[in-house]
Amino acid sequence: MATGAATENQWLKGRVKAVTSGDCLVITALTHNRAGPPPEKTITLSSLMAPKMARRGGIDEPFAWESREFLRKLCIGKEVAFKVDYKVEAIAGREFGSVYLGNENLAKLVVQNGWAKVRRPGQQNQDKVSPYIAELEQLEEQAQQEGFGRWSKVPGAAEASIRNLPPSAVGDSGNFDAMGLLAASKGKPMEGIVEQVRDGSTIRVYLLPEFQFVQVFVAGLQAPSMGRRQSTQEAVVDPDVTATSNGDASAETRGPLTTAQRLAASAASSVEVSSDPFAMEAKYFTELRVLNRDVRIVLEGVDKFNNLIGSVYYSDGDTVKDLGLELVENGLAKYVEWSANMLDEEAKKKLKATELQCKKNRVKMWANYVPPASNSKAIHDQNFTGKVVEVVSGDCLVVADDSIPFGSPMAERRVCLSSIRSPKMGNPRREEKPAPYAREAKEFLRQKLIGMEVIVQMEYSRKISPGDGVTTSGAGDRVMDFGSVFLPSPTKGDTAVAAAATPGANIAELIISRGLGTVVRHRDFEERSNHYDALLAAEARAIAGKKNIHSAKDSPALHIADLTVASAKKAKDFLPSLQRINQISAVVEYVLSGHRFKLYIPKESCSIAFAFSGVRCPGRGEPYSEEAIALMRRKIMQRDVEIVVENVDRTGTFLGSMWEKNSKTNAGTYLLEAGLAKMQTGFGADRIPEAHILEMAERSAKNQKLKIWENYVEGEEVVNGSSKVETRQKETLKVVVTEVLGGGRFYVQTVGDQKVASIQNQLAALSLKDAPIIGSFNPKKGDIVLAQFSLDNSWNRAMIVNGPRGAVQSPEEEFEVFYIDYGNQEIVPYSAIRPVDPSVSSAPGLAQLCRLAYIKVPGKEEDFGRDAGEYLHTVTLESGKEFRAVVEERDTSGGKVKGQGTGTELVVTLIAVDDEISVNAAMLQEGIARMEKRRRWEPKDKQAALDALEKFQDEARKSRTGIWEYGDIQSDDEDNVPVRKPGRG
């Protein structure tokens, strides 16, 4: 409605928002079309004059409070119909009207109950009168006769109705004791009536029955600021649907301002601060629910300005609601940590979680919210069961996944416990000592979990940079996987499946509840444990109980002599004290190799390197070495063991025997029975305890041809004088040749190796996407990628050998790659390369570099070099045969071959399964290779092999075949023996 005349005598509908006195109401529109709160009107009931309540420094008129309370309780929050009867411009344009609650005229009800006088019209204001003036005068006479309300005839009733107000209720709050009130009432619900809403989260309240008038900030949150500005216009409510529509036009302007008002307005405008977005909406939200309503205030604290902080509860029908929670839930207030800390833990968590959900849904004030960058990413549907192999620290475990075959690179999974942090273990090699209670946390988990079946629920991964304070295994970022680990809940019967399917105790909660770790305070939108609330509750219990890291006590001091990083001489000094003890209790701290370990001896407070006497596994990089380590990790890693120390070697490693403490089983038998180790008893088996048991275990593996004994053939016996000595059994591999390089060198893959099948299965399961966008993926030299082999378009693991300098500019740019599982090499375009997941790239290459033993094969650039290469290619690759590769020696010099790889080179005798002679002998027979020059003092087995090969070379020489076509040849580099220098003196 655009003008005042348009609203007069027009019935409108609205809702009573506030009752300021016994004859005045604030009414808001039921519906509106514009943004923000609905328009509202302040209506004084026509021709009535209710008693006035105390203002600053004053006192109530008799019955003022009862008059206001009658009207407030009658109509607050209810729907009414009203019309403006007249306006009085002299009183700032105040509007007077008639208001109906249902079929009842509020003015009549007020007068009838004696809570207001009827104002008679003056000579000059005959038109400024209620249309119901006659009825009101009649009702007033009846109320006077009956003694209702302010007309009470009870002696002293008028004086008794005047409230005895404290100073805070009449504008003098300087001496108000907020701390005293808090101390007397903290945590107890206090009855009150909200008299004013300053903003969405700040209210002014009468606390009953003393009528202390206080300002209360809603605990744990803050609504948008209302700013500082002058009120410039008054809005109107929507009309009744049956009346002429007044739309949403601006309300009429007030009367002209006085000089004093203009000066005040000028001063206000000079410090005007605009309100925050959604401030008006938040204020109206609070007004609609609590203004002039009965509320309960639970005081939580006091700020430094003597303001009360509390929780505000109001009734909505039969339901009690929390105003603060509703504001946050509707996106009209934000969570504030400092005042939320005054709340109990449960309310605080609920408030924080509600805000987080609003941010995710972008409700109201969070509509344009942009989550902060997070380095964590959710992991979905990765639950598994397995045995705990290693406890790395109080918040990190290594679990052997039951679903992955033993020996696979992915069989063991490192799981960091979600949302908790235990004290760091430090690093002795960098002279970093364990933090207080770090050892206790690790030891608690070791005793509780090692070797136990657990249920793992993966939850999120996090990229850790070196700058995050977490030790990484290189210069780059590291991705850590986090999850919750549970012990299976006890079940009746013997059903292992049922036990594994039902999670029991949460390991992270056990750590936190014992005060051996703390809960991580995640940022908004950061992934966290699915059981975060339980962790916070456990931490609260540990803090209340002052357990371990939450106590004032220092952790017990423990000084450990680490002989694994000390000199060999220091280890030898310890030998006599260890030999004096018959059986020493120890804990396996780490598996260094299949037969070598790091042990901690509690009684001596030292850590030692320990190896089995007479039992040896393949060395690092040799076949089955990783499998031997994996077996011992599952069998004895971090277990309690007993050892007998016999000696110490020159590197400071103690030698002896080991038994698992619980089963009393000799740990060496695990390796020998599995075919992952050999007996070495050159110094005499009689010095090894239970040597006969170890020999039986080795014989069992030989008979079953397990692992290193796969191609074992019972050794021949040869006469040497009067005694018989068994010939040394050489390692034999069953292989297929995958690439021929020339010069007698070639790559092979081991037939039947589980690693080959595992890698092939992983590659087959990959879903390769389109070519990467230029610039998003820039592989550099040495990186492992997936490359498409040009001959069959298959995707294989490859190492970048050479590539363009700088970032990739075109999909046709070329990279030279080496296929680490086959040994071949080619140039491929950028479009034929894809990034590879670390789980696939981490396993070592399957191609093993070999060269033919005891013979010299011409290189490709030498005479007959091309013939030799073609012959080797024909009998190996083109034939598609399987071969037995007898390993004569290992060349660990690690030299590169055409940039195609480094590491151990096997020197082998290559024999086809269905051939009588080796490929080595056949190449000598064809005249495309010659024998190495014999050296003095060759081992007897090598002398025998050279004697056998010499027959084939003599045959080619006599028939003038190949390189012997023009007679004998000599090798400069082999025949020129260095001249021996004369000795001194």
Side-chain angles (χ1 to χ4, degrees), residues 45-340:
L45 297 178
S46 299
S47 299
L48 293 193
M49 187 169 56
K52 294 181 175 59
M53 291 193 299
R55 295 290 182 252
R56 181 178 296 272
I59 62 172
D60 287 346
E61 292 183 358
F63 300 103
W65 177 255
E66 288 85 348
S67 174
R68 201 288 294 263
E69 283 297 277
F70 172 80
L71 187 58
R72 181 183 73 85
K73 292 178 179 179
L74 185 65
C75 62
I76 191 70
K78 296 181 180 178
E79 187 177 328
V80 294
F82 72 98
K83 69 171 181 173
V84 176
D85 296 329
Y86 57 89
K87 292 179 66 175
V88 178
E89 299 295 341
I91 316 176
R94 182 184 297 180
E95 295 181 315
F96 294 79
S98 300
V99 182
Y100 272 80
L101 176 64
N103 297 323
E104 299 285 349
N105 186 328
L106 287 183
K108 293 181 181 179
L109 292 174
V110 169
V111 173
Q112 183 180 352
N113 286 277
W115 296 119
K117 290 181 180 180
V118 178
R119 186 191 301 271
R120 270 65 177 178
Q123 294 294 327
Q124 298 177 352
N125 295 307
Q126 293 295 330
D127 58 335
K128 308 294 186 183
V129 66
S130 168
Y132 309 101
I133 185 65
E135 296 176 62
L136 294 175
E137 290 175 344
Q138 184 180 356
L139 290 171
E140 183 182 41
E141 290 179 9
Q142 294 176 1
Q144 287 176 348
Q145 293 173 6
E146 298 290 339
F148 291 153
R150 65 178 300 168
W151 312 115
S152 174
K153 299 176 182 179
V154 178
E159 292 77 7
S161 68
I162 300 173
R163 295 176 296 167
N164 183 18
L165 297 174
S168 63
V170 288
D172 183 10
S173 58
N175 295 322
F176 174 64
D177 184 9
M179 288 301 297
L181 180 62
L182 175 67
S185 307
K186 182 173 174 60
K188 301 176 183 177
M190 303 177 66
E191 300 296 329
I193 298 174
V194 178
E195 291 297 307
Q196 183 185 355
V197 175
R198 198 190 77 175
D199 58 46
S201 58
T202 311
I203 58 176
R204 292 190 172 101
V205 187
Y206 274 131
L207 295 180
L208 303 179
E210 289 82 6
F211 290 101
Q212 289 282 8
F213 190 62
V214 297
Q215 179 166 273
V216 177
F217 291 91
V218 182
L221 57 107
Q222 181 179 344
S225 171
M226 289 296 297
R228 292 192 299 274
R229 56 180 179 171
Q230 57 180 336
S231 179
T232 57
Q233 64 179 18
E234 183 181 7
V236 297
V237 295
D238 289 344
D240 188 352
V241 292
T242 60
T244 305
S245 173
N246 66 353
D248 280 323
S250 300
E252 60 181 306
T253 59
R254 295 180 182 273
L257 298 177
T258 65
T259 303
Q261 289 173 329
R262 284 197 297 270
L263 288 172
S266 175
S269 64
S270 65
V271 292
E272 181 176 336
V273 178
S274 61
S275 62
D276 293 337
F278 296 101
M280 290 295 297
E281 190 170 346
K283 181 182 179 184
Y284 175 72
F285 182 92
T286 300
E287 287 176 337
L288 193 62
R289 285 156 178 78
V290 301
L291 182 59
N292 284 172
R293 309 290 184 100
D294 295 310
V295 296
R296 284 187 299 159
I297 308 291
V298 179
L299 296 182
E300 310 287 357
V302 175
D303 69 9
K304 61 183 179 181
F305 301 109
N306 221 31
N307 292 308
L308 294 169
I309 315 293
S311 300
V312 180
Y313 300 92
Y314 69 95
S315 297
D316 184 10
D318 295 331
T319 307
V320 176
K321 293 190 175 180
D322 182 345
L323 175 64
L325 187 62
E326 286 218 302
L327 281 165
V328 174
E329 194 172 37
N330 286 274
L332 295 172
K334 65 180 180 180
Y335 175 84
V336 178
E337 186 76 28
W338 70 268
S339 63

Side-chain angles (χ1 to χ4, degrees), residues 384-393 396-402 411-413 415 417 442 444-456 485-488 507 632-639:
F384 65 94
T385 60
K387 285 188 177 179
V388 177
V389 174
E390 179 183 357
V391 176
V392 181
S393 64
C396 185
L397 311 171
V398 176
V399 183
D401 192 340
D402 290 338
E412 292 183 3
R413 298 184 63 174
V415 181
L417 299 179
K442 181 178 178 180
F444 169 74
L445 286 190
R446 185 189 75 82
Q447 294 183 2
K448 189 84 176 175
L449 296 180
I450 203 69
M452 295 291 293
E453 189 82 10
V454 294
I455 302 165
V456 182
V485 179
F486 303 88
L487 287 170
I507 300 304
M632 297 311 284
R633 283 176 62 81
R634 293 204 183 189
K635 291 291 186 181
I636 65 169
M637 179 70 176
Q638 294 187 335
R639 308 292 177 92

Side-chain angles (χ1 to χ4, degrees), residues 943-958:
Q943 288 183 22
L946 292 172
D947 290 341
L949 291 174
E950 194 167 14
K951 297 184 297 182
F952 297 99
Q953 179 172 279
D954 289 344
E955 182 181 336
R957 183 190 292 120
K958 290 176 182 178

